[in-house]
Amino acid sequence: MLRSRFPDHTVTIVPADTALRAGWALTSGDKGEKVRYRYRPQYFAEVWRPGEPPLTIPLACKGNHSDSATSAEQLASASAHAEAVHMGPWNETPGLLFSTQLPTDGGTMTVHALQAPGSGGRLSPAEVREPNLNAPPFQANAMPDIHPPTEGLVAPEPVRGCHVQAKDYAWFQESLAHTTAAGLMAFTGSGHATARHLTDRQGRKRFTGPEHAADMSIQDAAHTLFGNKYVGTDHVFRLLARGDVEEYRALVHASRHVRPRLTFDKNWGGPVSVHADGSVLALRLLPGQDKEPRPGSAR
């Protein structure tokens, strides 16, 4: 839906909990002053193109096996999750709420959606500095709570949640980009390449232990899929492993019209999924696995 609305942009879905931990302590296990609000959006949709501030939209998603009345209740409760994050001016944060209705009788799946418009998701202009996506991730300690505007001489009581203010725009853009890069590096299997894109509170230390020898190889298994040559995970691994997020995003954006793609590749011999982020998952049976097992043989 967002790709159709913004055809000249790339859309990335970022896990909200991981991204927010770069600035806030969300649970009792996180170091720092806690955000005293237990609801959060599940994801951020980052709508971006190189050289421009992204549009960032909190997403809250629910589902049921019931009816439209249940979906209406879910959309109402989903607003509590989306409103946990405030970006920019008061009451200007965009949002997308979803409730997916999955009938148990095999009927048609229905997705109910609500949109909240707002200018706050456009992370510009940055008050402190311009973002540098190649800079190492920075663990901020942003104050919890959302701050309504002052009315006259009286400052209203803060609202519980996370507030991305203009002074945080550059840092938050960097955090979104690094969180996305960390997820992709985890897909490649390299712990150290994953760790370089995470802060301690996001779990960096979990990925800094000893690595398997195969994870530290040059990852040079070459295959041709849909007429394009892929060399292991190297087409994205080399850039993000050395922290070059800017160049990686430029390449992903330039090739956005050929991805995502999901179909059966006859030459490969199995299904191939090419993701918008440049990662590829290709499956096929090993030689001899397509034969029926002989009677009495082990399965």
Side-chain angles (χ1 to χ4, degrees):
M1 181 181 68
L2 289 171
R3 289 191 185 102
S4 66
R5 290 187 178 186
F6 301 95
D8 296 329
H9 292 70
T10 296
V11 179
T12 303
I13 305 300
V14 187
D17 264 18
T18 306
L20 291 173
R21 276 191 165 89
W24 292 272
L26 302 182
T27 64
S28 58
D30 297 333
K31 293 183 178 180
E33 188 175 352
K34 307 297 184 292
V35 174
R36 299 169 297 163
Y37 192 72
R38 63 189 183 94
Y39 300 110
R40 282 181 292 279
Q42 286 93 346
Y43 305 99
F44 293 112
E46 186 189 12
V47 183
W48 59 272
R49 60 183 175 186
E52 296 183 6
L55 171 63
T56 307
I57 306 172
L59 307 179
C61 313
K62 292 177 177 286
N64 66 82
H65 297 287
S66 187
D67 51 23
S68 297
T70 302
S71 285
E73 294 175 356
Q74 289 188 330
L75 290 171
S77 63
S79 66
H81 294 261
E83 291 168 3
V85 177
H86 207 81
M87 289 182 284
W90 177 254
N91 208 30
E92 283 293 333
T93 304
L96 283 171
L97 312 179
F98 297 95
S99 174
T100 302
Q101 200 176 316
L102 295 166
T104 56
D105 58 4
T108 303
M109 180 180 71
T110 304
V111 178
H112 303 269
L114 286 177
Q115 177 190 13
S119 62
R122 186 70 68 181
L123 302 179
S124 67
E127 287 187 355
V128 178
R129 58 178 176 83
E130 290 298 312
N132 178 9
L133 304 187
N134 288 348
F138 175 73
Q139 180 168 294
N141 287 293
M143 290 297 293
D145 295 335
I146 299 167
H147 304 280
T150 300
E151 301 174 357
L153 299 177
V154 179
E157 288 293 320
V159 179
R160 293 182 179 183
C162 302
H163 195 170
V164 181
Q165 302 180 65
K167 64 182 180 62
D168 306 315
Y169 283 174
W171 160 77
F172 197 60
Q173 290 180 51
E174 294 164 358
S175 296
L176 291 173
H178 278 297
T179 300
T180 300
L184 186 54
M185 289 295 91
F187 175 79
T188 70
S190 174
H192 288 280
T194 303
R196 75 171 301 143
H197 294 287
L198 296 173
T199 67
D200 285 346
R201 198 156 51 212
Q202 288 177 305
R204 183 184 63 85
K205 293 182 180 179
R206 298 179 185 177
F207 294 94
T208 54
E211 284 192 301
H212 191 277
D215 294 333
M216 294 183 287
S217 70
I218 60 174
Q219 306 186 6
D220 58 354
H223 294 286
T224 299
L225 305 168
F226 306 132
N228 297 317
K229 186 176 181 180
Y230 294 93
V231 183
T233 54
D234 215 30
H235 58 294
V236 294
F237 181 85
R238 284 175 296 177
L239 294 174
L240 294 182
R242 65 173 183 246
D244 199 341
V245 179
E246 297 274 10
E247 184 178 352
Y248 159 73
R249 285 165 71 97
L251 289 173
V252 166
H253 181 74
S255 59
R256 68 190 182 283
H257 294 303
V258 298
R259 295 191 298 261
R261 187 174 182 185
L262 173 61
T263 188
F264 192 94
D265 188 328
K266 292 182 179 179
N267 294 326
W268 163 257
V272 177
S273 174
V274 183
H275 291 210
D277 60 12
S279 60
V280 179
L281 178 63
L283 301 175
R284 65 180 175 184
L285 292 173
L286 293 173
Q289 295 300 306
D290 54 347
K291 298 179 181 179
E292 289 291 329
R294 291 176 296 180
S297 63
R299 290 179 180 270

